[in-house]
Amino acid sequence: MDEDGPQAQASLKKSTSMNSIKSSESTGSIGFSKSWLSWDILPSEWDIFWLSTALKLLLFPSYRSTDFEVHRNWLAITHTLPMSKWYYDTTSEWTLDYPPFFAYFEKFLSIPASLIDPKIVDLNNLNYDAWSVIAYQRSTVILTELVLGIVLLKFIRGSVEPPIQRIVSASIFLHPGFLIVDHIHFQYNGFMYGILLWSILMARNGNKLASGILFAVLLNFKHIYMYLAPAYFVYLLRSFCLSPTGQIHIKNFLSLANAVITVFVVSLGPFALMGQIPQLLSRLFPFTRGLNHAYWAPNFWALVTATDRVLLKYAQLTGAEITINESGVASSSRGLVGDTVFAVLPNVKPVHTFVITIVFQLIWLFKLWRNPTYKSFLTALTLSGWTSFLFGWHVHEKAVLLVLIPLSLLAAERQAYFRTFVLASVAGVFSLFPLIFTPTESIIKVIYSTIWIAAVYIPISRRVYEYPKSITYVIMDTLEKVYLAGFPLLFLFVSAFPLMRIQQPSVTNVATSLETCVSADPLDISCPEPLATVVQSTPGVSALEFLPLMATSIYCAVGLVWSFMRLGFIYLHEESTYQGQLSEIK
Amino acid sequence: MHKRGIKQWIVPGVIAASTLIKVAIGLGSYSGHNTPPMFGDYEAQRHWMEITIHLPLKQWYMYDLPYWGLDYPPLTAYVSWLCGIVGHFINSTWVELNKSRGIETAESKVFMRMTVLALDALVYLPALLMFVYTWQGSRSRRTQELSFLTLILQPALLLVDFGHFQYNFVMLGFTILAMNFFATGKDLWGAFFFVLSLGFKQMALYYAPAIGSYLIARCIYLGPVQGLRLLVRLAVVTVSTFLLLFLPWLPPFAGFSDILQPITRIFPFARGLFEDKVANFWCASNVVFKWKTWASSGFLVKVSTTLTALGFLPAVAGLIQSGITHMNVTKSEKTDQKTGQTPFLPLLPYALLTSSMSFFLFSFQVHEKTILLPLLPITLLLSGAPIDSAAYSWGVLVNNVAVFSMWPLLKRDGLGVQYIATLLLWNRMIGYNPVRLPFKSFVQLFSLAVYAAAILLHLLELIFAPPARYPDIFPVLNVLISTPVFFLTWLWSIKCGVEVGWALGGLGRNSNPATASERKATEGTSGTATSGTSLLSANGSGLSYRQSGNRTVSLGHAAAQSSVASALRARASLSPVELLKNRGSGANAGGGAT
């Protein structure tokens, strides 16, 4: 964190000066207000900033998941313990399991925290929830998110069509995913995605070295971005280290390699010297989890699992001659918890998910290798993350941001991209809804997401609309609209279902069960078993109990899988059919 | 085409966004949260739901009075009853008699917050929308939208009703509805809604002098025949509405003395001059002059009543005088306007401001939340005002200081972060910049000084604990900063009232015929002499009067017509909808839309 400062700042400055020239040309007629507070920022952009900041401030007292305590605990660990003990401490169950840069970041944040209220950084002060720590941690989320805001502004300044990019930038800054996951649930995704977008911005501006360095930095903040690494690797190798004819640029290659190695040395070096790398890795990659997360992430495996359940029901009802795995029957009666074992379909092992992911990745990477432009890189990056999300082992619903954020940058390109973006965003954001289950916050998440999608849809759809060209497209268009129209119905079902169940006693409240579940899910830790036992004790009920969650997961998975296929198709036909404004960037 | 498509989404968007803000404020704490045994205003409102649905009507004003006995007029009781029925249907434990006292479950809190939101959507939102479309019917769509935004995000009301927990906007909404109907010439409907406002919360009496004298002036203006007819009708409507509201406590449904139950509860004369620290004349002057030790309570009540009456007298006199002046306008013109609004309608907001501010400053038993009443008319004035007008400057200053004056209350409620967020949001959304250079008027400099003092006080409070000898030092300093602002606003409202009165009616009767015909001409040419487009005629007349050398009409925004366009453009470039608007051309910051 500290080490990337100077370099990063230098590149930021460079791009500022470069873009300010461009923007003053392209937006000369706007007439900036000469108020003392404006640094080349339009009033409308300030409006968005203040509006969202006010809302985020109002969300201070909202529901917090245990991620809040996780991060508070990390403040305490990094503040009170020497570095050598960071990855060994087990005072709290929420041990440090992010890469070192994030630990440094927490160390940095813990300094003001200790001045504001020393109890925040007290290692044994578990589940501390005084107003001081809430206000402090929530503020740090808002403040670090400024990185995202600034980067998104820079995106507008040098873009091909600033008005369109302004909408796209605003849509990312105001993304419901960030509101739900960061400002209610509590995480630092805004900051992380700020770095990611910064890196993408550098790629767009042609500064590929900076792009690579920033991505390396990002990886050392949170390792989930490894999902995107293949696209980065191919893109930088092909377009930065090799000439178009295939000759290697030794100088570029060495500078990139050295820079990336330096980043990793700064991050991991101290721990390597202490011989703690195995311990660190075991914290980062705990391989002891099931195929599906507690609440199925809306991916391919959710569909497969659902198919298995349907087939099992079919077999049980008709007595069809299908070999049934008995442990799979037990697994299916356990709702959504624990390791997933199929009853009818062959079981899935990590290696299977790995192979499928690799195969799909290779398609996009091959295409990227042949056409290493910015737009191609962006699409491949999105598809790369998307592939991992759909086919990965034990994927989290929150990882859908990995798809939605880069995809947003493509949203206004053409009607085809836009429709993909709308489908994926609606499904993806809806799939995040179960994270927030307290009543007032639920109202907020729904209203906010609705406003957001309307505010993005209305202006962009007018801009990019194209008539469906053939009967196939008309049918597809209609089906997609029907699918989107299903979301309000799904929402009605999901919210009405618990109310109907309340009438019947002896049913554990969905909200409370879910609470146990979600609260045990800081980052990548699966649900603890106690819930499973609760559910097992009433097997007949449990299947219904989780019906809303299952329905949400499956319905969203349909949209995400379909829009994934859409984007994949578009990508493979990009050069011939789907040229847009981003194609102008070389 | 693109722009038009976006435009129709602005009002729904503003409503949705404001709803979001309101719900988000509701996440926070509320009055009396977790403070047994009495809790606070939240518990009072919930308790009223509890007693109204469980007790017979006769006991509503009698039951266990020390524990938040009902002391609001019957409409509040009826509304509580309705909300209580809904609450009882969903979960009967929320409003169980006696047992539910101090209930603070997450679900019951959500329910209570939702009743506020529902009533807001039923009364206040429609009232605001109608206000924008009647009082600013002739203004550009963008002005209307900005005005709506200004009103709907008014921070003081948001904090008190959606944070602290009350239903003030119902009372205010009814008053706005009354004003809307006055503006469209439907005086009887106006009177009806004002009685509803009074019937919801007796605090609406602060407006009564202005509304009453407006209606009397209107009767005078219409001349002996029509005026008398209107007067009788108004009396019938007012009295029968009151009777309807109080019907259960009146014969034949109750004994003769039963009406005293609600009345004595609604008007508790037995309390002192002031209780908490409130930024009015009595509390502020109490710092140097200990009223309570100096004079008896009865005498002080008399003094304060006299001062209050003197305080709102200018407004009453101004309205009546306008009525008399305009009565002498030629008959032919009057018949034209018979169904339309009265020419002195622009006086009404100023009169409301003068009257309510005088009550706030001088009457007894004032709460800090009562500042919401004077805030309503000045925010209505502010809402349509161009950014460099006096109404804008005063309106923003008073709004901000009003929120500041409630800081001790909000701090007690645990609404500190909401205080910052709503102030930030509103000032940004209306495009306010206190340090906009160069300073053009006294009020700008004054505002800056007040803000500096307020921020300094907040910093002091943050850093230092109050000295043991003066535990109330910070609230008192708060009062000392806020009171002068409210006092000056009161003076300013009187001044504006006089100016507008002059401009409308001229100094004497002689000047009338010429200017009246001139105004008629203006109206005719601009083709806006319909009843719906009330204010443009006022604007038009303002211009013509200025040309004839008289003082300018000012409804806050009517003055300086020529600068309106540029000012609007300045504000427009700050508007939150700019992003959407901009997307078409990508370059034009508002010029295209005006």
Side-chain angles (χ1 to χ4, degrees), chain A residues 423-438:
Chain A
L423 286 167
S425 296
V426 172
V429 170
F430 196 95
S431 75
L432 289 174
F433 278 4
L435 278 177
I436 310 297
F437 47 83
T438 43

Side-chain angles (χ1 to χ4, degrees), chain A residues 186-220:
Chain A
F186 197 85
Q187 276 190 357
Y188 288 94
N189 287 297
F191 174 51
M192 303 290 161
Y193 281 93
I195 302 175
L196 175 65
L197 288 172
W198 192 357
S199 164
I200 296 175
L201 175 70
M202 287 297 121
R204 189 194 76 182
N205 292 353
N207 192 347
K208 285 161 192 163
L209 180 61
S211 174
I213 294 169
L214 282 166
F215 186 70
V217 169
L218 179 65
L219 272 181
N220 283 293

